[in-house]
Amino acid sequence: MTAQFHDNFLYNDVNYSVSGISDGKLFDPNILNLEPVGTCTACWRGYVASFSLLHSILVLQNLEINLFRDDCGNLRDKKGPIINAIMPNDSQQKFSLFNNYYYDLNYRIDYTGGLLLADDFIQELYVHMGFHPAWKYKNVIELIFEDGVLINKFDHSEKMAKIRSQIVDASDKVSTSEPRTFLDTLSFVENAFDRTYKM
C-alpha cells in the first residue's frame, strides 16, 4: 500500500491538505458524469481535486483525473467533457499521472459540514499508507460550510498538538514485540483510507 495524494484547499494564500471531512463526500466525480480510473498506487481514486473559496462560496478550483474508454478490451485515453465552460487540458509532461487537467473551474460545491485543512506535515510521523490524519500536521484549521457557504472557522492547531502527544505517548508504551492480528491490520488499513471525523 502507498500513502495517498491528498486533495488540496487554497485558503488565505496557503495550500492546505484536506485531512478531514465531517459529512459524506466533499466531491464525487460521478455528479459530473466522470468515472475516474486509478493508475497509480498513490492515487487509488484516480483523481485529485483542489478547492478554494470564491466570495465565501466553496468551489472546485482544479481537477486532475484519469478517464479511459474501452477499445475492444484495451483502455485508451478519453477526453473529458466540458465542465463549467472549461475544456480539459492534456498533460504537457512526459511522465504524468493523469490524462485530463481542468484548471480554474470555479465549480460550486454545495457541501454542508466541516473540513479539516492541514499544513506543515511532521515527517517523522509519515506512514506509507492511506491519507495522513490532521494530528500529523502542525497547523490545522476547520472550516464549517452550509450549502457550500462558509459560516465559521476554527484554529485547531493546539488541540491537534495535544492529540498528537497522546497518540505518540500511547504508541511508545505498546510493545513492538507483540504480533499484530489480521483484524488489527485490517482495521489499520481501513482507518488509513478514511478521512471522516466527528464535529
Side-chain angles (χ1 to χ4, degrees), residues 91-199:
S91 171
Q92 302 301 315
Q93 302 173 12
K94 187 173 181 180
F95 299 105
S96 175
L97 294 176
F98 303 97
N99 59 19
N100 283 267
Y101 292 82
Y102 290 91
Y103 299 114
D104 300 318
L105 281 170
N106 290 328
Y107 182 84
R108 181 173 177 155
I109 304 292
D110 292 326
Y111 174 75
T112 296
L115 298 179
L116 292 179
L117 308 185
D119 178 48
D120 203 0
F121 181 73
I122 301 168
Q123 286 298 325
E124 295 80 23
L125 300 175
Y126 177 83
V127 175
H128 204 53
M129 170 76 71
F131 296 102
H132 292 291
W135 61 267
K136 291 187 176 186
Y137 294 81
K138 291 181 181 176
N139 304 316
V140 179
I141 60 172
E142 181 181 32
L143 301 183
I144 308 295
F145 293 90
E146 188 169 317
D147 295 323
V149 178
L150 180 65
I151 60 170
N152 217 335
K153 69 174 181 114
F154 304 95
D155 188 328
H156 291 310
S157 301
E158 287 185 20
K159 185 184 206 178
M160 291 300 158
K162 289 177 185 173
I163 292 170
R164 181 169 53 251
S165 177
Q166 291 170 351
I167 291 172
V168 170
D169 287 348
S171 66
D172 287 345
K173 293 175 184 174
V174 174
S175 171
T176 56
S177 62
E178 294 177 14
R180 220 175 236 235
T181 68
F182 173 75
L183 291 178
D184 289 338
T185 303
L186 184 62
S187 176
F188 172 75
V189 172
E190 287 175 349
N191 289 334
F193 285 86
D194 183 8
R195 295 186 293 175
T196 59
Y197 74 99
K198 302 290 184 197
M199 287 182 63

Side-chain angles (χ1 to χ4, degrees), residues 57-114:
I57 295 172
L58 176 62
V59 295
L60 173 64
Q61 190 65 35
N62 302 320
L63 179 64
E64 301 171 332
I65 190 166
N66 277 319
L67 302 172
F68 295 96
R69 61 185 171 82
D70 191 339
D71 184 12
C72 299
N74 295 313
L75 291 180
R76 304 281 186 222
D77 283 1
K78 176 181 174 182
K79 187 81 165 178
I82 295 173
I83 300 173
N84 227 23
I86 302 294
M87 281 284 289
N89 294 323
D90 295 327
S91 171
Q92 302 301 315
Q93 302 173 12
K94 187 173 181 180
F95 299 105
S96 175
L97 294 176
F98 303 97
N99 59 19
N100 283 267
Y101 292 82
Y102 290 91
Y103 299 114
D104 300 318
L105 281 170
N106 290 328
Y107 182 84
R108 181 173 177 155
I109 304 292
D110 292 326
Y111 174 75
T112 296

